[in-house]
Amino acid sequence: MDLTHHTPAPPRPVPPTRDFEMCFTSTPRGARLARLLAAQRLDSWGIPYDTPASTSATAVVAELASNAITHALVPGRDFRLRLLLLPNTIRIELTDTHPEWLPPTPSPAPLSESGRGLTLVAYHATRWGVTPCVPTGKMVWADCALPG
């Protein structure tokens, strides 16, 4: 499975019905808050906690936020989370200011406690990728399907 996607985000053919955007500190607390607020926002949009759609989307938010604070940390810079509710899809966009693309993902050792984050993103998302930001940084995006 190719886990390094250097493709632009696919176009959004229709405007979102809901849109949430917020910056978070690049700390474990910021990553946790991003996940909790994503779950809360989805619930307020009619996607209840503990449903498959909410669980998938919050897992993607958690992994992308964890990557942003672990691998893409630029001291003093925040990361930005955006959630878009589209017909049949939740679009998750996480932007950080680290200037490099995601590194190639090596296969982790079977008992390793890390190295599987992008595999989880690929599992939960119908598609995902990375888009460069100008002048620096990148946006990692993922689309999670909604039922029906």
Side-chain angles (χ1 to χ4, degrees):
M1 174 185 306
D2 177 22
L3 296 178
T4 305
H5 296 323
H6 300 279
T7 58
R12 292 182 217 119
V14 295
T17 59
R18 302 278 193 273
D19 190 339
F20 169 78
E21 187 171 352
M22 188 172 203
C23 288
F24 297 90
T25 59
S26 292
T27 63
R29 183 172 183 245
R32 180 175 182 268
L33 185 58
R35 180 183 54 81
L36 293 172
L37 287 178
Q40 182 182 46
R41 184 58 53 148
L42 293 173
D43 184 63
S44 74
W45 291 347
I47 303 165
Y49 297 102
D50 296 326
T51 59
S54 178
T55 300
S56 287
T58 55
V60 169
V61 169
E63 290 302 329
L64 297 182
S66 177
N67 284 347
I69 68 166
T70 304
H71 304 295
L73 178 63
V74 176
R77 302 278 178 93
D78 296 337
F79 68 89
R80 180 178 54 86
L81 171 67
R82 185 175 187 199
L83 302 174
L84 300 156
L85 184 59
L86 302 165
N88 304 314
T89 303
I90 302 164
R91 163 70 59 88
I92 300 159
E93 298 176 352
L94 196 131
T95 305
D96 64 53
T97 56
H98 197 272
E100 296 178 16
W101 288 100
L102 293 173
T105 306
S107 297
L111 298 177
S112 174
E113 292 183 13
S114 64
R116 292 177 183 81
L118 294 179
T119 302
L120 289 172
V121 170
Y123 174 80
H124 286 288
T126 55
R127 60 186 175 187
W128 70 279
V130 182
T131 303
C133 296
V134 177
T136 186
K138 65 186 166 301
M139 175 184 61
V140 183
W141 58 269
D143 291 340
C144 294
L146 290 171

